[in-house]
Amino acid sequence: MHASSDISLLSLLVNASVPVQLVMLILLGVSVLSWTYIFSKRAALKRANEQTRRFEDDFWAGGDLSVLQQSVATRRDEHGALARIFDSGMTEFIKARRSNGTSDALLDGPRRAMRATYQREMDGLESHLNFLASAGSVSPYIGLLGTVWGIMHAFLGLSTMQQATLSAVAPGIAEALIATAIGLFAAIPAVIAYNRYTNEIDRLSIRFDSFIDEFLNILQRQVR
């Protein structure tokens, strides 16, 4: 009974070898940062989906595009990514019409402006996803490094003992397994979040692409 009380989670963490403790601290930092990005990205994508839906409703309501563009220009952050893509295209279209450009020029400017804005918006939506992917793929190996070191340290300690017993090697193996568990704890949520958010961003990307094509068709009918 006394031996089991000695092998507690807190005592294992405190009495672990320095390399294993360092591994645990690294994994803990990775886990905290991962969860921070998971929650912040979830809020950002929820907001992006709501803003996209609202702007699509306003755009397809059939109102004056110039009035809609002025409303978006005054509150770009509130309207979201799709509204900013529309604003950049509409702004270039108005400039091209004022300069009496050709029909090709009237469409080429808005197309390039919307594609540039689209790329900036996608870069913003995809920010921190690379960290989640890296955390999901690297954390188990970092934990495995702590596991290997802990087991090696435990068995090296047996070489100084006259009689090898399970109680002598158990703490070292236990601390090694804790490193593995922390590595998995850091990796699994990061992988799940990365896959889910990537899928959501892909769906937004498709909606943005479709809107650009449809908006260019509307502009093309206006220049005829």
Side-chain angles (χ1 to χ4, degrees):
M1 189 69 178
H2 178 70
S4 62
S5 64
D6 289 340
I7 308 179
S8 64
L9 180 60
L10 182 60
S11 64
L12 289 174
L13 294 176
V14 172
N15 297 321
S17 59
V18 174
V20 176
Q21 288 181 335
L22 181 60
V23 167
M24 292 178 182
L25 287 175
I26 293 173
L27 291 174
L28 181 61
V30 170
S31 180
V32 170
L33 199 55
S34 293
W35 281 107
T36 300
Y37 289 151
I38 287 171
F39 287 123
S40 63
K41 184 59 64 178
R42 178 57 190 159
L45 289 178
K46 181 180 179 181
R47 183 171 60 253
N49 278 295
E50 292 175 350
Q51 290 173 333
T52 300
R53 178 184 54 79
R54 286 200 302 267
F55 177 77
E56 287 176 335
D57 292 341
D58 293 339
F59 181 84
W60 295 113
D64 190 333
L65 293 181
S66 297
V67 175
L68 179 60
Q69 190 266 339
Q70 291 175 1
S71 174
V72 171
T74 56
R75 295 179 298 174
R76 287 172 61 91
D77 293 336
E78 295 181 13
H79 285 82
L82 188 58
R84 290 188 286 270
I85 293 173
F86 160 78
D87 180 45
S88 63
M90 194 67 186
T91 300
E92 286 299 319
F93 180 73
I94 294 173
K95 290 180 180 178
R97 291 188 70 173
R98 289 174 179 172
S99 62
N100 297 321
T102 63
S103 58
D104 290 339
L106 286 175
L107 295 178
D108 186 57
R111 180 184 296 107
R112 288 186 286 105
M114 285 192 290
R115 283 296 170 186
T117 306
Y118 162 85
Q119 191 58 56
R120 288 195 299 269
E121 296 296 337
M122 293 306 301
D123 289 342
L125 289 173
E126 293 172 352
S127 62
H128 305 313
L129 285 185
N130 287 337
F131 178 85
L132 293 179
S134 299
S137 60
V138 173
S139 293
Y141 294 103
I142 298 177
L144 182 61
L145 175 63
T147 299
V148 172
W149 180 270
I151 293 176
M152 182 178 65
H153 180 72
F155 281 102
L156 286 177
L158 292 178
S159 63
T160 61
M161 297 182 181
Q162 295 180 350
Q163 183 179 5
T165 62
L166 180 60
S167 60
V169 74
I173 295 178
E175 74 176 40
L177 295 177
I178 291 175
T180 299
I182 296 177
L184 294 175
F185 179 78
I188 293 175
V191 171
I192 294 174
Y194 173 81
N195 291 332
R196 178 177 178 178
Y197 294 161
T198 299
N199 185 43
E200 289 190 30
I201 291 173
D202 287 343
R203 290 203 301 267
L204 281 172
S205 174
I206 292 172
R207 292 170 71 177
F208 294 168
D209 272 327
S210 299
F211 174 81
I212 290 174
D213 292 337
E214 291 167 345
F215 183 46
L216 286 174
N217 288 335
I218 293 174
L219 295 181
Q220 187 174 22
R221 288 194 294 268
Q222 291 187 8
V223 300
R224 288 176 179 176

